[in-house]
Amino acid sequence: MSALQLRAANLADAGDCLLLARLTDAYARDAMGGGEGLTPARQQQLAQALGAHPGLFALIAEQGGEAVGHALCVLGFSSFYAAPVCNLHDLSVLSAARGQGLGRRLLQAVASAAAQRGCAKLTLEVRDDNAVGRTLYHSEGFAEAGLGGTHYRLLEKVLTPA
């Protein structure tokens, strides 16, 4: 097994953006990603959007010159901390590369990159039925988010483009 390399994705590079779109598609096809991949048109749209969004950064994990995982992060802001926050939007490891600690290494690299950007905290979403992910996140210091002793609940509203 060749050594694992973690590198920052260059979001100004079309090749890296296409690679991230392919990794996101593989994640979306996995049961924990919903089980449905991205259409080719959506992959192309994602690749273009990644390079255009100023608040993103990403990491790519490579083994033997092949991409085997990624982390896509979105910077935001916390009024309570008066500082940036980092949301780990996607963390994925291809099935063939699982069980080697790659998810942990990506998660630790994201935490380091967020700290270097002055972020006060790192947030993420995880499915209730993702026992492997929940175990990893808790072992790395993540806890249920809350305020005043009450947990947050994630809500969403899908918008139709104008």
Side-chain angles (χ1 to χ4, degrees):
M1 190 64 60
S2 60
L4 176 70
Q5 301 288 330
L6 295 179
R7 67 175 178 88
N10 178 353
L11 298 181
D13 178 74
D16 267 7
C17 290
L18 284 170
L19 178 59
L20 287 167
R22 286 196 302 272
L23 287 165
T24 302
D25 174 59
Y27 170 50
R29 290 177 188 282
D30 187 86
M32 289 300 115
E36 294 183 27
L38 305 177
T39 65
R42 183 56 55 96
Q43 286 184 53
Q44 186 65 36
Q45 181 183 12
L46 174 59
Q48 292 170 353
L50 290 171
H53 194 290
L56 297 180
F57 72 91
L59 302 173
I60 298 172
E62 296 173 327
Q63 203 165 38
E66 296 292 321
V68 294
H70 82 299
L72 178 63
C73 302
V74 183
L75 296 175
F77 186 80
S78 169
S79 56
F80 285 16
Y81 286 95
V85 296
C86 177
N87 177 257
L88 175 54
H89 193 272
D90 295 329
L91 178 73
S92 74
V93 176
L94 297 180
S95 59
R98 292 181 184 155
Q100 303 175 48
L102 175 54
R104 182 174 307 280
R105 293 219 13 226
L106 274 167
L107 190 57
Q108 290 169 348
V110 165
S112 178
Q116 290 172 359
R117 288 168 169 80
C119 292
K121 65 181 179 177
L122 180 58
T123 63
L124 57 80
E125 301 163 21
V126 62
R127 289 170 46 143
D128 282 340
D129 63 344
N130 186 349
V132 172
R134 291 169 61 95
T135 298
L136 169 64
Y137 302 141
H138 288 296
S139 75
E140 286 296 317
F142 284 83
E144 299 293 322
L147 183 63
T150 301
H151 294 296
Y152 297 149
R153 185 174 299 271
L154 175 69
L155 304 175
E156 71 177 3
K157 178 180 178 179
V158 177
L159 302 175
T160 305

